[in-house]
């Protein structure tokens, strides 16, 4: 079957270098540590698979006790949003009365975040906040926003640092755009 995305390859230069990403994560962690100062414990809810690399770097710079939990949300096939969000709990966290910090790789149309937030609110957590590495505000189809944003970027499809194209490139330490 022909590949609907055609022959795509990585941009020669990264959109976000590994050093720029690490520097920004330091800043995000400092902000989160200040905002949650005194919190007994927070639930770091990592959205698989894309946020796993970001969460590993961010979580190790947070100073409050963390409980690591995982959900799976999937809305893309190749470089196209399917519009349908497949959501699955991977671990079984107790969220009632807890402070939940959701860690996402990227906010795009907003569908995943909207669905996740409404699911989480049903469990009566003490608070829910979202920390996303990347935000594409120009792509929103439904209202969604993150409390913590690493980088605001344009509409181009990006890979690396956890983000994939058909499950490839997650291990790259920098973020690249795909070029046709
Ligand atoms: P929505 O549209 O629900 O999208 O806000 C969030 C999810 O879509 C995926 N996504 C991307 N994945 N490069 C990727 O590797 C991209 O440029 C991109 N844009 C959206 C991603 O899985 C995210 O959780
Ligand atoms: Mg993906």
């Amino acid at each position: 079957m022909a590949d609907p995305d055609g022959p795509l390859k990585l941009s020669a230069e990264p959109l976000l270098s590994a050093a720029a990403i690490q520097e920004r994560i330091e800043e995000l962690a400092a902000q989160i540590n200040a905002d949650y100062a005194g919190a007994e414990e927070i639930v770091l809810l990592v959205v698989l698979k894309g946020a796993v690399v970001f969460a590993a770097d961010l979580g190790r710079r947070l100073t409050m006790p963390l409980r690591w939990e995982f959900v799976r949300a999937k809305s893309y096939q190749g470089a196209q949003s399917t519009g349908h969000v497949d959501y699955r709990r991977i671990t079984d966290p107790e969220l009632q009365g807890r402070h939940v910090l959701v860690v996402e790789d990227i906010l795009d149309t907003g569908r995943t975040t909207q669905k996740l937030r409404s699911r989480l609110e049903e469990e009566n957590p003490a608070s829910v906040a979202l920390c996303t590495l990347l935000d594409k505000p120009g792509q929103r189809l439904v209202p969604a926003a993150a409390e913590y944003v690493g980088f605001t970027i344009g509409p181009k499809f990006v890979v690396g640092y956890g983000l994939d194209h058909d499950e490839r490139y997650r291990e790259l330490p920098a973020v690249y755009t795909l070029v046709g």
Side-chain angles (χ1 to χ4, degrees):
M1 200 174 88
D3 179 355
D5 295 325
L8 296 170
K9 50 186 176 34
L10 294 182
S11 53
E13 295 298 321
L15 177 67
L16 303 167
S17 70
I21 293 170
Q22 295 304 319
E23 202 173 301
R24 182 68 186 124
I25 292 175
E26 284 288 353
E27 295 173 354
L28 285 173
Q31 197 186 342
I32 293 168
N33 286 333
D35 290 353
Y36 288 86
E40 252 174 48
E41 181 182 78
I42 67 173
V43 175
L44 199 71
L45 190 67
V46 183
V47 183
L48 297 176
K49 301 177 185 174
V52 77
V53 178
F54 175 43
D57 282 345
L58 178 72
R60 285 181 293 172
R61 290 181 172 113
L62 298 180
T63 50
M64 72 295 283
L66 301 179
R67 178 176 285 259
W68 293 69
E69 303 287 356
F70 299 88
V71 294
R72 173 88 201 258
K74 195 176 171 206
S75 68
Y76 261 68
Q77 248 165 20
Q80 296 296 318
S81 175
T82 61
H84 169 80
V85 182
D86 176 29
Y87 169 89
R88 201 181 332 145
R89 292 170 80 116
I90 303 296
T91 54
D92 206 12
E94 173 62 53
L95 300 182
Q96 183 157 354
R98 296 185 176 273
H99 295 289
V100 179
L101 181 61
V102 179
V103 184
E104 262 277 24
D105 54 355
I106 188 163
L107 237 173
D108 185 64
T109 66
R111 287 183 186 121
T112 307
T113 294
Q114 196 187 55
K115 179 155 181 180
L116 196 55
R117 279 202 199 258
S118 71
R119 292 280 193 110
L120 295 177
E121 292 299 346
E122 288 169 14
E123 300 185 45
N124 299 314
S127 68
V128 176
L130 173 68
C131 179
T132 187
L133 176 70
L134 305 174
D135 189 6
K136 292 177 171 176
Q139 294 282 97
R140 258 354 154 261
L141 295 175
V142 300
E147 283 77 3
Y148 305 97
V149 175
F151 300 91
T152 298
I153 61 170
K156 282 191 183 145
F157 196 81
V158 294
V159 296
Y161 198 72
L163 293 128
D164 74 303
H165 179 252
D166 281 342
E167 301 302 329
R168 290 182 62 203
Y169 307 123
R170 294 191 196 275
E171 67 280 10
L172 299 176
V175 169
Y176 295 82
T177 54
L178 280 183
V179 290

